[in-house]
Amino acid sequence: MLLKETQEKLIPTLKKYFGYDSFREQQQEIIESVLSKNDNLVIMPTGGGKSICFQIPALLKEGVCIVISPLIALMQDQVTNLTNKDIKAMTIPSGSSQDEMITLFDNLLFGNYKFLYLSPERLQSKFIQDKISQLNVSLIAIDEAHCISEWGHDFRPSYQQISILKELQPKVNIIALTATATPKVVTDIANYLKLDD
């Protein structure tokens, strides 16, 4: 059960940052489940408002939400959209030197950032893993989660290594999101991400 005061913040947060007066079907249910610290696997059509399902909880929780996404352009778009709404979000630009990454992670630690967007390939870096283990992480969101499954339509082997996040941040819940998933893909996502219940 969500605390009443958290529940009362849902619509005002949606209105303030996204300009909507109400949630679409299922969004609120998913958000409440995420805020109750459950793992969630969300299958929602493209344009159905999947991002709001992790963005609202992340805005209401302390710490940084780590978002794993397959496409640099997609990540850049999301970071730009959030920044335009006065929400602090970043991605690690490809070709960043270790010094630049140290600065970025210092900003994440101390700069009140809410979102860090990473590609699954980036997550394989030992340096980045060490830095993530030091962050106060509020939520882990896996976008385009069907990429985990060999039965998914754009399989990415690096997606199968994402469960390292569970080891780095064992207390943090996960929300996995995709627009399409067969039962086989759903099972794969749950298994590879070690989703509880």
Side-chain angles (χ1 to χ4, degrees):
M1 269 303 286
L2 265 197
L3 289 173
K4 191 166 187 287
E5 60 188 80
T6 306
Q7 191 124 28
E8 285 167 355
K9 287 179 184 161
L10 294 180
I11 297 289
T13 305
L14 180 72
K15 178 91 176 133
K16 176 181 174 182
Y17 291 107
F18 302 96
Y20 301 119
D21 292 314
S22 62
F23 288 104
R24 291 190 197 170
E25 199 184 342
Q26 288 187 312
Q27 280 179 330
Q28 185 158 347
E29 190 187 331
I30 295 162
I31 288 165
E32 289 179 8
S33 176
V34 171
L35 286 167
S36 303
K37 291 198 175 308
N38 300 314
D39 285 339
N40 289 268
L41 172 51
V42 175
I43 302 166
M44 203 181 256
T46 303
K50 287 192 293 290
S51 298
I52 279 179
C53 296
F54 65 82
Q55 288 170 342
I56 297 276
L59 289 167
L60 291 172
K61 291 169 85 155
E62 282 292 308
V64 178
C65 172
I66 294 177
V67 186
I68 303 296
S69 176
L71 300 170
I72 307 242
L74 205 68
M75 291 194 274
Q76 213 42 71
D77 273 0
Q78 294 244 359
V79 168
T80 304
N81 287 337
L82 290 166
T83 307
N84 290 342
K85 293 177 170 69
D86 284 331
I87 298 167
K88 291 177 100 172
M90 73 161 69
T91 180
I92 298 176
S94 51
S96 299
S97 69
Q98 192 148 328
D99 282 351
E100 287 166 335
M101 285 200 274
I102 288 169
T103 305
L104 287 170
F105 275 99
D106 281 350
N107 287 339
L108 277 171
L109 261 177
F110 306 111
N112 218 0
Y113 273 81
K114 296 308 286 180
F115 296 94
L116 168 63
Y117 282 78
L118 281 177
S119 71
E121 287 79 13
R122 272 285 171 167
L123 189 57
Q124 308 315 308
S125 147
K126 190 76 185 74
F127 174 79
I128 287 179
Q129 290 174 12
D130 288 344
K131 288 293 185 188
I132 286 174
S133 67
Q134 297 162 28
L135 288 176
N136 175 18
V137 178
S138 59
L139 179 64
I140 294 164
I142 315 293
D143 209 5
E144 310 295 340
H146 59 269
C147 295
I148 288 172
S149 173
E150 292 169 48
W151 308 98
H153 56 83
D154 40 8
F155 173 56
R156 292 266 288 266
S158 53
Y159 255 77
Q160 295 188 340
Q161 315 302 319
I162 293 176
S163 63
I164 182 76
L165 285 168
K166 268 272 211 234
E167 292 160 40
L168 300 171
Q169 292 282 348
K171 292 189 172 73
V172 178
N173 57 319
I174 289 181
I175 176 170
L177 309 109
T178 179
T180 51
T182 61
K184 203 164 194 158
V185 172
V186 167
T187 305
D188 273 2
I189 293 170
N191 289 342
Y192 276 110
L193 291 177
K194 303 181 170 69
L195 297 183
D196 294 327
D197 190 18

